[in-house]
PDB file of all heavy atoms in Angstrom:
ATOM      1  N   LEU A 625     -16.957  11.519 -34.095  1.00 92.00           N
ATOM      2  CA  LEU A 625     -16.521  11.135 -32.762  1.00 92.00           C
ATOM      3  C   LEU A 625     -17.735  10.849 -31.877  1.00 92.00           C
ATOM      4  O   LEU A 625     -18.799  11.434 -32.079  1.00 92.00           O
ATOM      5  CB  LEU A 625     -15.676  12.255 -32.127  1.00 92.00           C
ATOM      6  CG  LEU A 625     -14.378  12.606 -32.862  1.00 92.00           C
ATOM      7  CD1 LEU A 625     -13.707  13.807 -32.197  1.00 92.00           C
ATOM      8  CD2 LEU A 625     -13.426  11.417 -32.902  1.00 92.00           C
ATOM      9  N   PRO A 626     -17.586   9.990 -30.870  1.00 94.00           N
ATOM     10  CA  PRO A 626     -18.731   9.642 -30.020  1.00 94.00           C
ATOM     11  C   PRO A 626     -19.160  10.813 -29.126  1.00 94.00           C
ATOM     12  O   PRO A 626     -18.325  11.600 -28.672  1.00 94.00           O
ATOM     13  CB  PRO A 626     -18.213   8.473 -29.181  1.00 94.00           C
ATOM     14  CG  PRO A 626     -16.734   8.646 -29.173  1.00 94.00           C
ATOM     15  CD  PRO A 626     -16.367   9.245 -30.494  1.00 94.00           C
ATOM     16  N   VAL A 627     -20.464  10.897 -28.886  1.00 96.00           N
ATOM     17  CA  VAL A 627     -21.017  11.922 -28.004  1.00 96.00           C
ATOM     18  C   VAL A 627     -21.983  11.236 -27.037  1.00 96.00           C
ATOM     19  O   VAL A 627     -22.970  10.624 -27.466  1.00 96.00           O
ATOM     20  CB  VAL A 627     -21.753  13.023 -28.788  1.00 96.00           C
ATOM     21  CG1 VAL A 627     -22.425  14.002 -27.827  1.00 96.00           C
ATOM     22  CG2 VAL A 627     -20.793  13.757 -29.720  1.00 96.00           C
ATOM     23  N   THR A 628     -21.676  11.308 -25.745  1.00 97.00           N
ATOM     24  CA  THR A 628     -22.529  10.716 -24.716  1.00 97.00           C
ATOM     25  C   THR A 628     -23.344  11.823 -24.051  1.00 97.00           C
ATOM     26  O   THR A 628     -22.777  12.780 -23.511  1.00 97.00           O
ATOM     27  CB  THR A 628     -21.695   9.987 -23.646  1.00 97.00           C
ATOM     28  OG1 THR A 628     -20.895   8.986 -24.283  1.00 97.00           O
ATOM     29  CG2 THR A 628     -22.588   9.329 -22.616  1.00 97.00           C
ATOM     30  N   ILE A 629     -24.651  11.679 -24.108  1.00 96.00           N
ATOM     31  CA  ILE A 629     -25.554  12.689 -23.557  1.00 96.00           C
ATOM     32  C   ILE A 629     -26.280  12.095 -22.361  1.00 96.00           C
ATOM     33  O   ILE A 629     -26.963  11.073 -22.483  1.00 96.00           O
ATOM     34  CB  ILE A 629     -26.559  13.156 -24.624  1.00 96.00           C
ATOM     35  CG1 ILE A 629     -25.811  13.810 -25.790  1.00 96.00           C
ATOM     36  CG2 ILE A 629     -27.572  14.119 -24.018  1.00 96.00           C
ATOM     37  CD1 ILE A 629     -26.675  14.086 -26.998  1.00 96.00           C
ATOM     38  N   ARG A 630     -26.123  12.753 -21.227  1.00 96.00           N
ATOM     39  CA  ARG A 630     -26.814  12.299 -20.015  1.00 96.00           C
ATOM     40  C   ARG A 630     -28.175  12.999 -19.925  1.00 96.00           C
ATOM     41  O   ARG A 630     -28.267  14.223 -20.054  1.00 96.00           O
ATOM     42  CB  ARG A 630     -25.984  12.625 -18.774  1.00 96.00           C
ATOM     43  CG  ARG A 630     -26.603  12.095 -17.480  1.00 96.00           C
ATOM     44  CD  ARG A 630     -25.752  12.453 -16.266  1.00 96.00           C
ATOM     45  NE  ARG A 630     -25.819  13.878 -15.959  1.00 96.00           N
ATOM     46  CZ  ARG A 630     -25.080  14.464 -15.011  1.00 96.00           C
ATOM     47  NH1 ARG A 630     -24.210  13.750 -14.315  1.00 96.00           N
ATOM     48  NH2 ARG A 630     -25.200  15.752 -14.774  1.00 96.00           N
ATOM     49  N   LEU A 631     -29.204  12.218 -19.687  1.00 95.00           N
ATOM     50  CA  LEU A 631     -30.535  12.793 -19.510  1.00 95.00           C
ATOM     51  C   LEU A 631     -30.582  13.631 -18.232  1.00 95.00           C
ATOM     52  O   LEU A 631     -29.708  13.534 -17.374  1.00 95.00           O
ATOM     53  CB  LEU A 631     -31.580  11.678 -19.471  1.00 95.00           C
ATOM     54  CG  LEU A 631     -31.671  10.798 -20.732  1.00 95.00           C
ATOM     55  CD1 LEU A 631     -32.726   9.714 -20.557  1.00 95.00           C
ATOM     56  CD2 LEU A 631     -31.959  11.635 -21.977  1.00 95.00           C
ATOM     57  N   LEU A 632     -31.625  14.429 -18.114  1.00 90.00           N
ATOM     58  CA  LEU A 632     -31.775  15.354 -16.995  1.00 90.00           C
ATOM     59  C   LEU A 632     -31.515  14.640 -15.661  1.00 90.00           C
ATOM     60  O   LEU A 632     -32.101  13.606 -15.376  1.00 90.00           O
ATOM     61  CB  LEU A 632     -33.191  15.935 -17.016  1.00 90.00           C
ATOM     62  CG  LEU A 632     -33.479  17.041 -15.997  1.00 90.00           C
ATOM     63  CD1 LEU A 632     -32.655  18.285 -16.305  1.00 90.00           C
ATOM     64  CD2 LEU A 632     -34.959  17.378 -16.004  1.00 90.00           C
ATOM     65  N   ASP A 633     -30.640  15.251 -14.847  1.00 89.00           N
ATOM     66  CA  ASP A 633     -30.203  14.549 -13.638  1.00 89.00           C
ATOM     67  C   ASP A 633     -30.568  15.237 -12.328  1.00 89.00           C
ATOM     68  O   ASP A 633     -31.015  14.576 -11.393  1.00 89.00           O
ATOM     69  CB  ASP A 633     -28.686  14.331 -13.700  1.00 89.00           C
ATOM     70  CG  ASP A 633     -28.177  13.488 -12.545  1.00 89.00           C
ATOM     71  OD1 ASP A 633     -28.855  12.521 -12.166  1.00 89.00           O
ATOM     72  OD2 ASP A 633     -27.103  13.787 -12.020  1.00 89.00           O
ATOM     73  N   PRO A 634     -30.396  16.556 -12.164  1.00 81.00           N
ATOM     74  CA  PRO A 634     -30.551  17.127 -10.819  1.00 81.00           C
ATOM     75  C   PRO A 634     -31.993  17.246 -10.373  1.00 81.00           C
ATOM     76  O   PRO A 634     -32.914  17.200 -11.193  1.00 81.00           O
ATOM     77  CB  PRO A 634     -29.915  18.519 -10.967  1.00 81.00           C
ATOM     78  CG  PRO A 634     -30.177  18.877 -12.376  1.00 81.00           C
ATOM     79  CD  PRO A 634     -30.056  17.594 -13.148  1.00 81.00           C
ATOM     80  N   PRO A 635     -32.217  17.408  -9.080  1.00 78.00           N
ATOM     81  CA  PRO A 635     -33.577  17.625  -8.571  1.00 78.00           C
ATOM     82  C   PRO A 635     -34.177  18.888  -9.191  1.00 78.00           C
ATOM     83  O   PRO A 635     -33.465  19.871  -9.445  1.00 78.00           O
ATOM     84  CB  PRO A 635     -33.370  17.801  -7.064  1.00 78.00           C
ATOM     85  CG  PRO A 635     -32.019  17.232  -6.775  1.00 78.00           C
ATOM     86  CD  PRO A 635     -31.215  17.424  -8.002  1.00 78.00           C
ATOM     87  N   LEU A 636     -35.492  18.886  -9.403  1.00 75.00           N
ATOM     88  CA  LEU A 636     -36.142  20.000 -10.087  1.00 75.00           C
ATOM     89  C   LEU A 636     -36.057  21.302  -9.301  1.00 75.00           C
ATOM     90  O   LEU A 636     -36.059  22.387  -9.901  1.00 75.00           O
ATOM     91  CB  LEU A 636     -37.606  19.644 -10.365  1.00 75.00           C
ATOM     92  CG  LEU A 636     -37.828  18.501 -11.375  1.00 75.00           C
ATOM     93  CD1 LEU A 636     -39.325  18.236 -11.541  1.00 75.00           C
ATOM     94  CD2 LEU A 636     -37.196  18.819 -12.714  1.00 75.00           C
ATOM     95  N   HIS A 637     -35.984  21.217  -7.977  1.00 71.00           N
ATOM     96  CA  HIS A 637     -35.997  22.457  -7.192  1.00 71.00           C
ATOM     97  C   HIS A 637     -34.770  23.329  -7.471  1.00 71.00           C
ATOM     98  O   HIS A 637     -34.763  24.524  -7.189  1.00 71.00           O
ATOM     99  CB  HIS A 637     -36.092  22.148  -5.697  1.00 71.00           C
ATOM    100  CG  HIS A 637     -34.817  21.668  -5.089  1.00 71.00           C
ATOM    101  ND1 HIS A 637     -33.845  22.526  -4.621  1.00 71.00           N
ATOM    102  CD2 HIS A 637     -34.348  20.413  -4.891  1.00 71.00           C
ATOM    103  CE1 HIS A 637     -32.836  21.809  -4.157  1.00 71.00           C
ATOM    104  NE2 HIS A 637     -33.118  20.534  -4.307  1.00 71.00           N
ATOM    105  N   GLU A 638     -33.691  22.729  -8.032  1.00 74.00           N
ATOM    106  CA  GLU A 638     -32.502  23.514  -8.329  1.00 74.00           C
ATOM    107  C   GLU A 638     -32.778  24.601  -9.373  1.00 74.00           C
ATOM    108  O   GLU A 638     -32.046  25.586  -9.467  1.00 74.00           O
ATOM    109  CB  GLU A 638     -31.357  22.613  -8.811  1.00 74.00           C
ATOM    110  CG  GLU A 638     -30.716  21.810  -7.695  1.00 74.00           C
ATOM    111  CD  GLU A 638     -29.383  21.214  -8.107  1.00 74.00           C
ATOM    112  OE1 GLU A 638     -28.901  21.540  -9.236  1.00 74.00           O
ATOM    113  OE2 GLU A 638     -28.827  20.433  -7.331  1.00 74.00           O
ATOM    114  N   PHE A 639     -33.829  24.400 -10.177  1.00 75.00           N
ATOM    115  CA  PHE A 639     -34.157  25.373 -11.214  1.00 75.00           C
ATOM    116  C   PHE A 639     -35.036  26.505 -10.686  1.00 75.00           C
ATOM    117  O   PHE A 639     -35.310  27.466 -11.410  1.00 75.00           O
ATOM    118  CB  PHE A 639     -34.884  24.685 -12.375  1.00 75.00           C
ATOM    119  CG  PHE A 639     -34.043  23.649 -13.078  1.00 75.00           C
ATOM    120  CD1 PHE A 639     -34.086  22.318 -12.687  1.00 75.00           C
ATOM    121  CD2 PHE A 639     -33.207  24.000 -14.121  1.00 75.00           C
ATOM    122  CE1 PHE A 639     -33.326  21.357 -13.328  1.00 75.00           C
ATOM    123  CE2 PHE A 639     -32.436  23.041 -14.778  1.00 75.00           C
ATOM    124  CZ  PHE A 639     -32.495  21.726 -14.370  1.00 75.00           C
ATOM    125  N   LEU A 640     -35.504  26.390  -9.468  1.00 74.00           N
ATOM    126  CA  LEU A 640     -36.499  27.331  -8.958  1.00 74.00           C
ATOM    127  C   LEU A 640     -35.856  28.425  -8.103  1.00 74.00           C
ATOM    128  O   LEU A 640     -34.776  28.240  -7.549  1.00 74.00           O
ATOM    129  CB  LEU A 640     -37.544  26.571  -8.125  1.00 74.00           C
ATOM    130  CG  LEU A 640     -38.351  25.520  -8.900  1.00 74.00           C
ATOM    131  CD1 LEU A 640     -39.319  24.819  -7.973  1.00 74.00           C
ATOM    132  CD2 LEU A 640     -39.088  26.160 -10.071  1.00 74.00           C
ATOM    133  N   PRO A 641     -36.527  29.577  -8.003  1.00 75.00           N
ATOM    134  CA  PRO A 641     -36.000  30.672  -7.170  1.00 75.00           C
ATOM    135  C   PRO A 641     -36.005  30.269  -5.699  1.00 75.00           C
ATOM    136  O   PRO A 641     -36.773  29.395  -5.290  1.00 75.00           O
ATOM    137  CB  PRO A 641     -36.975  31.818  -7.447  1.00 75.00           C
ATOM    138  CG  PRO A 641     -38.236  31.146  -7.869  1.00 75.00           C
ATOM    139  CD  PRO A 641     -37.819  29.915  -8.618  1.00 75.00           C
ATOM    140  N   LYS A 642     -35.155  30.950  -4.899  1.00 75.00           N
ATOM    141  CA  LYS A 642     -35.013  30.558  -3.494  1.00 75.00           C
ATOM    142  C   LYS A 642     -35.387  31.678  -2.530  1.00 75.00           C
ATOM    143  O   LYS A 642     -36.139  31.457  -1.590  1.00 75.00           O
ATOM    144  CB  LYS A 642     -33.580  30.090  -3.250  1.00 75.00           C
ATOM    145  CG  LYS A 642     -33.228  28.825  -4.043  1.00 75.00           C
ATOM    146  CD  LYS A 642     -31.752  28.515  -3.991  1.00 75.00           C
ATOM    147  CE  LYS A 642     -31.433  27.266  -4.798  1.00 75.00           C
ATOM    148  NZ  LYS A 642     -31.752  27.398  -6.235  1.00 75.00           N
ATOM    149  N   THR A 643     -34.871  32.863  -2.722  1.00 78.00           N
ATOM    150  CA  THR A 643     -35.149  33.952  -1.785  1.00 78.00           C
ATOM    151  C   THR A 643     -36.504  34.583  -2.092  1.00 78.00           C
ATOM    152  O   THR A 643     -37.067  34.412  -3.182  1.00 78.00           O
ATOM    153  CB  THR A 643     -34.067  35.030  -1.876  1.00 78.00           C
ATOM    154  OG1 THR A 643     -34.131  35.655  -3.171  1.00 78.00           O
ATOM    155  CG2 THR A 643     -32.673  34.429  -1.692  1.00 78.00           C
ATOM    156  N   ASP A 644     -37.013  35.339  -1.141  1.00 78.00           N
ATOM    157  CA  ASP A 644     -38.288  36.028  -1.338  1.00 78.00           C
ATOM    158  C   ASP A 644     -38.207  36.986  -2.529  1.00 78.00           C
ATOM    159  O   ASP A 644     -39.165  37.108  -3.301  1.00 78.00           O
ATOM    160  CB  ASP A 644     -38.664  36.809  -0.070  1.00 78.00           C
ATOM    161  CG  ASP A 644     -39.055  35.880   1.078  1.00 78.00           C
ATOM    162  OD1 ASP A 644     -39.414  34.717   0.790  1.00 78.00           O
ATOM    163  OD2 ASP A 644     -38.986  36.319   2.244  1.00 78.00           O
TER     164      ASP A 644
END
Side-chain angles (χ1 to χ4, degrees):
L625 298 175
V627 175
T628 303
I629 298 170
R630 184 181 71 186
L631 300 179
L632 186 66
D633 186 39
L636 293 179
H637 76 86
E638 286 195 7
F639 297 92
L640 298 179
K642 296 170 181 62
T643 66
D644 290 339

